[in-house]
Amino acid sequence: MLVIVFIRLIDIAEWTFRSSKSQFVSGKVGIVRFSAGSIVTALGWASFCVLFIEDLIMVEYATTVMIISSIAGGSPTVLAASRNLSIIFSTLLMIPLSTVSLLATEQYQNYLGLLGFVFYTIMVASSLKVSSFTREALRVKNQNIQLRNEVANKGNLVSTVNVELENATTKLNDINQDLELEVKKRTEKIFQLSNVDSLTGLKNRKAFTAQLDVLIEKAVSNGSPVALLFIDLDGFKKINDTMGHQIGDRTLIEVANRLAAFSDLERTGRWGGDEFLVALPYSDQTTAMSIASAMMTSVAQPIHVSGNELYLTASIGIALAPVHSLNAEDLIQLADLTMCEQKQSAQRKPRIFSTELKSKIEASQMILEGLQHALERKELYLCYQPIQCAKENTSWAFEALLRWNFNGKFIGPDVFIPLAEKSGLIKEIGTWVLNRACMDAKHWQFNQTAAVSVNVSVIQLMDDGFIRTLDNILRSSGLPPERLHLEITESTFVDNEKKIRAQLEQIQNRNIHVSIDDFGTGYSSLSQLQTLPVNYVKIDKAFVDNIEGKGEAIIRATLFIARELHCKTVAEGVETKEQAMALSAMGVDFLQGYYFAKPMKNEDLIVWQNPISSFSD
Ligand code: C2E
Ligand code: MG
Ligand code: MG
């Protein structure tokens, strides 16, 4: 038994050592080794009982029973982890001892043998119970370990994920920062695109209007006015047309810089084309006027672009907030209208919006509204003024002049024609005039050869549908084309010369004659006149009025030019016999004016008799 115990101690020591060194030891091998040790121990005791119990004296027998019972008593607890081993161990210890004791000769041994069986039964029962407890406890323990491991694993996973999350967050922050930077850059770019005029770098319409609203608000709160200057260049179009857009663009940039020097970029804007806006905070009328005058002088200084020396002038209209308006858009409109007034006037100095101008604008608006319904309300009608042949004093043509009876008040064409041109109404009105004039002329029984001379606005002439309209009217009225003359004002030839020439050629192809009206008042260059297909030149009334003075030289010069260009001449505004005689003597072909007749209605014209028998004597 000592040998067995010794071997088992070595076995346990080796087992513990290897386990402590965390070398791999299979659990199953350990169980087999431990079970084998236990069974061999039990077999040792069983053999001892079977072989020697007969020869034992009472003390030895009692000691043996005590030792075996004690070992067996401890086995349900010690071997509780394995129910089978515990039962086998108890069986091997108790059954041989109890059986041998029961079969022994001594009666006390028989009793102890019997008690041995009872003890064995209790042992087995408690083995079953204890082992089931222990197994459950082990199962729970293992489960716990497993759970702890799982929790530990999950914990590791969570920390790995956390680290990854932290990395991702850092990355995201970096990306966000880049993105914010990009968004900022793009926002700035969008701001530039939507608020800044790409050519000049000044504020565009939208941005300037918004800025002006802010300045007006400030002006109201601090009680000092803000002046708005509307600047329009005179003659810029000519630079653009004759020198090309590149030079035009560089000229605009130079002008923009000159204007910005009087305020700053924030308060300077480009309204479009050659129109600029400058806002001047803390400026009353006097300050605004002197700054605007200085601007005019600055713009008038020579501009050097690509080796060219260019000269420009500017027209400036001024409106002030809060006196004239509290709204940026209104203020701009008022300054614009004031600028237009300034441009039309001969004075070369800035103009400030005034109440008179306001009533003028309101009156224009009223007239324009009335004009929109003038045709349908049949308020428009034509008058005809004879144009006499200078030599024979016979009626060569009759000029159709438009009249408007607006609510019983006569409004002159000088007032409403420019408004009709600006609003585009001229196309509709002009078509009506052409149609009416051709219809009337067709029915002039008193003179079947005289032409009707119709004033045509350049806006009508430039319209792509004009030639078609002309054809339609000639067809429907039945008037021969050679009995229709068109009068086009000289000043309008300046712009769009190419298109005008093309249209005039088409008109000439139809045998319709063309007059240049108000010759000498506009800006036509002689070279332009040379190339334009026209038949007559109408000398303006201003020169006829002044025939005793410088007018004569101008008329003679005009007659010379007209002759060179193979054009005939008409003198307008002939009011006296002397004028008629002088003009006729100079060689003017046709005469028109109050001396012969004032413009009259068609029904009066039919019965009109020329009161002048002769003026040549
Ligand atoms: P215009 O074509 O130069 O017409 C001549 C203007 O001088 C007419 O004024 C006529 O009444 C006026 N007049 C003629 N003889 C005399 C005179 O001896 N003394 C004075 N003081 N004036 C004289 P009106 O009818 O007021 O027309 C003004 C302008 O309006 C015209 O100038 C023409 O440019 C324009 N206009 C008239 N009717 C039409 C039209 O149907 N269409 C277009 N587009 N313009 C028209
Ligand atoms: Mg005319
Ligand atoms: Mg005229």
Side-chain angles (χ1 to χ4, degrees), residues 129-171:
K129 196 82 187 158
V130 172
S131 83
S132 120
F133 270 132
T134 309
R135 281 157 70 97
E136 184 58 22
L138 282 174
R139 196 184 62 78
V140 172
K141 183 191 158 197
N142 285 336
Q143 217 173 33
N144 267 355
I145 289 168
Q146 210 177 333
L147 270 170
R148 273 221 314 271
N149 286 342
E150 270 176 30
V151 168
N153 284 343
K154 293 246 164 87
N156 285 343
L157 204 74
V158 167
S159 37
T160 321
V161 170
N162 265 349
V163 170
E164 275 174 17
L165 226 87
E166 261 171 42
N167 289 342
T169 311
T170 323
K171 239 186 202 166

Side-chain angles (χ1 to χ4, degrees), residues 517-518 540 572:
D517 208 350
D518 305 337
D540 195 69
E572 304 185 275

Side-chain angles (χ1 to χ4, degrees), residues 399-401 453-456 487-489 517-518 538 572 592:
E399 180 175 4
L401 293 158
S453 199
V454 180
N455 292 288
V456 171
E487 295 192 15
I488 294 143
T489 303
D517 208 350
D518 305 337
K538 285 189 90 171
E572 304 185 275
Q592 176 187 12

Side-chain angles (χ1 to χ4, degrees), residues 103-277:
L103 298 175
T105 46
E106 294 292 333
Q107 203 177 8
Y108 74 92
Q109 288 184 322
N110 298 146
Y111 286 138
L112 280 174
L114 209 64
L115 272 173
F117 276 110
V118 173
F119 184 64
Y120 169 73
T121 313
I122 293 165
M123 275 309 95
V124 170
S126 72
S127 275
L128 287 174
K129 196 82 187 158
V130 172
S131 83
S132 120
F133 270 132
T134 309
R135 281 157 70 97
E136 184 58 22
L138 282 174
R139 196 184 62 78
V140 172
K141 183 191 158 197
N142 285 336
Q143 217 173 33
N144 267 355
I145 289 168
Q146 210 177 333
L147 270 170
R148 273 221 314 271
N149 286 342
E150 270 176 30
V151 168
N153 284 343
K154 293 246 164 87
N156 285 343
L157 204 74
V158 167
S159 37
T160 321
V161 170
N162 265 349
V163 170
E164 275 174 17
L165 226 87
E166 261 171 42
N167 289 342
T169 311
T170 323
K171 239 186 202 166
L172 220 86
N173 280 344
D174 289 349
I175 291 171
N176 262 355
Q177 264 178 4
D178 289 351
L179 226 83
E180 270 172 31
L181 220 84
E182 185 68 11
V183 167
K184 212 173 143 190
K185 266 194 212 158
R186 294 228 173 148
T187 315
E188 270 169 25
K189 204 165 178 188
I190 289 169
F191 177 83
Q192 285 278 328
L193 282 175
S194 63
N195 291 283
V196 175
D197 172 55
S198 57
L199 178 71
T200 58
L202 301 180
K203 285 204 153 123
N204 63 13
R205 268 177 190 229
K206 193 187 97 198
F208 185 88
T209 312
Q211 171 77 9
L212 186 60
D213 265 325
V214 175
L215 290 174
I216 293 173
E217 247 174 63
K218 276 190 195 157
V220 172
S221 65
N222 63 25
S224 62
V226 55
L228 173 72
L229 277 56
F230 198 109
I231 302 131
D232 185 274
L233 301 181
D234 310 317
F236 173 73
K237 197 174 179 309
K238 208 163 192 173
I239 292 183
N240 226 7
D241 290 347
T242 54
M243 314 202 73
H245 286 266
Q246 232 173 356
I247 290 188
D249 283 355
R250 290 175 60 187
T251 309
L252 286 176
I253 294 169
E254 174 60 25
V255 171
N257 290 339
R258 288 185 189 186
L259 295 177
F262 289 90
S263 184
D264 66 27
L265 274 179
E266 273 294 290
R267 300 191 205 103
T268 314
R270 185 170 173 215
W271 191 244
D274 58 351
E275 295 168 334
F276 297 90
L277 293 164

